[in-house]
């Protein structure tokens, strides 16, 4: 029984009181003894997995790392992922991991929330990052109140992390040399999420980000925060391996999209495009070759209104990729007649699952897609057209979207009460989230019993606000109808 290869060996390693308790629970059947040994072995394996990822929440400034250090000293060899979160409102916790155990082999570290983060030795305690740590993922400085106490130490700390592949960091980039120093330490990084704040110095010169072009291993780049710089094609010229690009900037140069044919996700929300109408036309021409795109977000970025707008046909670039799964063009200004170029039967989008067109305007008025949307995108799961009037033609065609789970739109053309709308939507039994602009009454809401999976309902008159109802529905619609009808009996007029 003392053979190390025996399945009983792990059991025999238990402290004597525990071993005695186990033996007392077993019968004389030897098979029970072996079963207990196997159970103990599996519990040991599960315990190691449970220790591999831990999250620590610092609730008071005084509650810091003493107990955590004891824990890491004992179990550090099993910990791969560590998250430190400062959740206290009104006071700030400082991350003081003064002596990280040498056994600690973190591959992922995330510091977030209301924290003061120390990177380098100082104030009688050692920094969070020790040189040589096999860290692959670092998320640093996120959440309200999170601050680096020594930003100048960031480049030095990164220099000691040769295995780092994924960096997400929020710092104040008023010191342009600091930015250059940080970027020069990221040659091996493949994922870079950079959030900056240069609001105070009012700079509109983004040349300090030119070192980005040297990070040729990048496949995922996100730059955001409080954007002011002018992005030029030079800054992103060498990044031809990008599969995801997310920018929130002013005066985006469309030439920056050149040679980015590997892109699968492109997010340019709330960007202003340099060059006016000509710049928008150039951006659209850069989108045509991106045939691998699965996600495209241009929320609020296409807002050219002066004469000389690109023709409606040019906007077919937004749906040029047949692999498109998610498209967001909300708050954009598009030329009249654009829908027939975005969604046409001859160019189907079989993989499109989510479409957001909130407040899209054409010639100064809202205009929702026509019924060709349904035949072009039969796999839609989510359709958002909030604050936009839906045509009767499109409403009737929506029943062809059998997989639809989320639907929102404003009023329906020529329809005041929601009964007619809900009668059309009854076949969509998979709906879980429904937002309507039409007014409702008890008779119309009884039709909701057909939507057995509905968990969220919002209905009302957005123009007059005479009736506005928001109901979270439980698992059984019938049990909630009483609450809905009670809301109806308390209609409130402004």
């Amino acid at each position: 029984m003392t053979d190390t290869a025996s399945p009983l060996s792990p059991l025999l390693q238990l402290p004597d009181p525990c071993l005695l308790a186990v033996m007392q629970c077993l019968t004389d059947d030897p098979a029970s003894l072996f079963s207990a040994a196997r159970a103990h072995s599996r519990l040991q394996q599960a315990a190691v997995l449970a220790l591999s990822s831990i999250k620590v929440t610092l609730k008071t400034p005084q509650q810091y790392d003493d107990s955590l250090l004891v824990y890491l000293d004992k179990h550090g060899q099993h910990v791969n992922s560590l998250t430190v979160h400062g959740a206290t409102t009104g006071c700030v916790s400082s991350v003081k991991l003064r002596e990280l155990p040498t056994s600690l082999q973190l591959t992922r570290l995330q510091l977030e929330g209301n924290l003061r983060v120390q990177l380098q030795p100082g104030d009688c305690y050692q920094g969070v990052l020790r040189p040589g740590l096999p860290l692959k993922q670092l998320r640093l400085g996120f959440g309200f109140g999170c601050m680096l106490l020594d930003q100048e130490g960031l480049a030095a700390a990164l220099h000691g992390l040769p295995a780092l592949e994924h960096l997400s960091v929020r710092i104040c980039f008023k010191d342009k040399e600091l930015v250059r120093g940080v970027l020069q330490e990221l040659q091996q990084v493949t994922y870079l999420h950079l959030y900056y704040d240069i609001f105070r110095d009012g700079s509109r010169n983004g040349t300090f980000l030119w070192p980005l072009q040297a990070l040729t291993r990048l496949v995922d780049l996100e730059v955001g925060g409080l954007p002011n710089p002018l992005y030029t094609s030079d800054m992103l010229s060498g990044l031809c391996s990008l599969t995801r690009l997310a920018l929130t900037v002013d005066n985006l140069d469309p030439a920056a999209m050149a040679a980015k044919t590997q892109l699968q996700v492109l997010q340019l929300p709330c960007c202003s495009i340099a060059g006016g109408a000509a710049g928008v036309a150039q951006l659209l021409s850069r989108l045509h070759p991106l045939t691998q795109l699965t996600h495209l977000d241009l929320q609020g970025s296409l807002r050219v209104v002066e004469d000389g707008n690109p023709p409606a046909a040019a906007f077919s670039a937004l749906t040029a990729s047949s692999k498109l799964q998610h498209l967001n063009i909300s708050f954009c200004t598009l030329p009249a007649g654009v829908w027939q170029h975005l969604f046409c039967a001859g160019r189907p989008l079989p993989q499109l699952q989510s479409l957001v067109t909130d407040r899209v305007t054409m010639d100064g008025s809202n205009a929702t897609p026509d019924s060709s949307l349904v035949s072009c995108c039969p796999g839609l799961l989510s359709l958002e057209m909030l604050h936009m009037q839906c045509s009767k033609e499109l409403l009737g065609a929506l029943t062809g979207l059998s997989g639809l789970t989320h639907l929102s739109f404003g009023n329906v053309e020529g329809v005041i009460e929601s009964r007619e709308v809900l009668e059309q939507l009854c076949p969509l039994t998979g709906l879980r989230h429904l937002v309507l602009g039409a007014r409702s009454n008890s008779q119309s809401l009884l039709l909701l019993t057909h939507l057995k999976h509905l968990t969220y309902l919002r209905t009302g008159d957005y123009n007059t606000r005479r009736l506005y109802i928001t109901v979270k529905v439980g698992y059984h619609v019938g049990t909630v109808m009483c609450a809905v009808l009670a809301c109806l009996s308390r209609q409130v007029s402004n």
Side-chain angles (χ1 to χ4, degrees), residues 16-36:
D16 289 345
C18 296
L19 181 59
L20 179 61
V22 170
M23 297 296 289
Q24 290 175 344
C25 294
L26 297 175
T27 65
D28 294 333
D29 184 1
S32 298
L33 191 62
F34 280 90
S35 297

Side-chain angles (χ1 to χ4, degrees), residues 20-280:
L20 179 61
V22 170
M23 297 296 289
Q24 290 175 344
C25 294
L26 297 175
T27 65
D28 294 333
D29 184 1
S32 298
L33 191 62
F34 280 90
S35 297
R38 284 194 294 267
H40 175 263
S41 177
R42 292 175 182 176
L43 285 173
Q44 274 191 322
Q45 297 173 5
V48 170
L49 291 175
L51 293 174
S52 65
S53 179
I54 60 176
K55 180 175 180 178
V56 180
T57 300
L58 306 179
K59 295 184 177 180
T60 68
Q62 292 75 31
Q63 179 197 3
Y64 44 87
D65 55 345
D66 289 339
S67 58
L68 176 61
L69 287 175
V70 173
Y71 180 88
L72 292 177
D73 201 22
K74 184 176 181 180
H75 303 290
Q77 69 274 20
H78 301 304
V79 178
N80 297 322
S81 175
L82 173 62
T83 299
V84 180
H85 181 78
T88 304
T89 302
C91 58
V92 178
S93 300
S94 293
V95 178
K96 300 179 180 179
L97 304 182
R98 291 164 290 189
E99 297 176 358
L100 287 174
T102 55
S103 62
L104 191 64
Q105 298 296 309
L106 281 181
T107 58
R108 181 179 181 273
L109 176 62
Q110 180 166 323
L111 304 177
E112 59 185 24
N114 208 19
L115 292 175
R116 295 295 182 263
V117 181
Q118 183 80 19
L119 290 174
Q120 297 292 60
D123 297 335
C124 301
Y125 60 89
Q126 184 175 330
V128 174
L129 306 177
R130 62 173 173 81
L133 197 66
L135 205 63
K136 293 185 177 180
Q137 297 184 39
L138 173 61
R139 184 176 173 89
L140 183 62
F142 282 81
F144 177 77
C146 198
M147 178 184 296
L148 298 182
L149 294 179
D150 52 354
Q151 296 190 42
E152 65 279 0
L154 180 57
L158 294 174
H159 183 73
L161 302 173
L164 192 65
E165 298 176 353
H166 189 158
L167 174 64
S168 299
V169 62
R170 180 190 295 274
I171 56 179
C172 183
F173 278 172
K174 291 188 291 184
D175 186 347
K176 309 304 186 294
E177 293 303 319
L178 169 62
V179 179
R180 294 188 180 95
V182 169
L183 294 178
Q184 289 170 1
E185 298 294 340
L186 301 178
Q187 298 301 318
Q188 77 283 7
V189 170
T190 54
Y191 294 77
L192 176 59
H193 299 168
L194 205 58
Y195 298 85
Y196 60 93
D197 181 358
I198 58 172
F199 180 74
R200 293 183 179 179
D201 64 359
S203 173
R204 300 190 66 85
N205 184 357
T207 57
F208 63 94
L209 289 172
W210 276 355
L212 278 174
Q213 62 185 308
L215 307 183
T216 55
R217 296 187 60 183
L218 281 180
V219 298
D220 188 313
L221 175 62
E222 181 172 341
V223 181
L226 291 175
N228 279 323
L230 170 66
Y231 272 80
T232 69
S233 57
D234 293 336
M235 293 181 187
L236 306 178
S237 61
L239 309 182
C240 299
S241 299
L242 285 176
T243 59
R244 177 178 180 267
L245 177 61
L247 303 174
T248 305
V249 296
D250 283 345
N251 296 318
L252 173 68
D253 186 348
M257 299 297 108
K260 303 294 187 296
T261 55
Q262 300 300 315
L263 277 177
Q264 299 174 17
V265 178
L266 178 59
Q267 296 170 294
L268 304 175
C270 304
C271 291
S272 62
I273 310 301
V280 172

Side-chain angles (χ1 to χ4, degrees), residues 277-345:
V280 172
Q282 186 181 4
L283 176 63
L284 294 174
S285 68
R286 298 293 185 184
L287 293 179
H288 263 294
L290 306 185
T291 57
Q292 302 300 311
L293 272 186
T294 60
H295 293 64
L296 179 59
D297 182 356
L298 295 175
Q299 176 183 349
S301 295
L302 304 178
R303 300 183 66 86
V304 179
V305 294
E306 71 267 17
D307 293 337
N309 286 349
F315 288 83
S316 63
L318 302 181
T319 54
S321 172
S322 60
K323 298 181 180 180
L324 201 61
Q325 298 176 17
H326 303 275
L327 175 62
N328 186 344
I329 53 174
S330 57
F331 293 89
C332 288
T333 301
L334 304 177
V338 76
W339 296 123
Q340 60 182 321
H341 299 286
L342 291 182
F343 308 109
C344 56

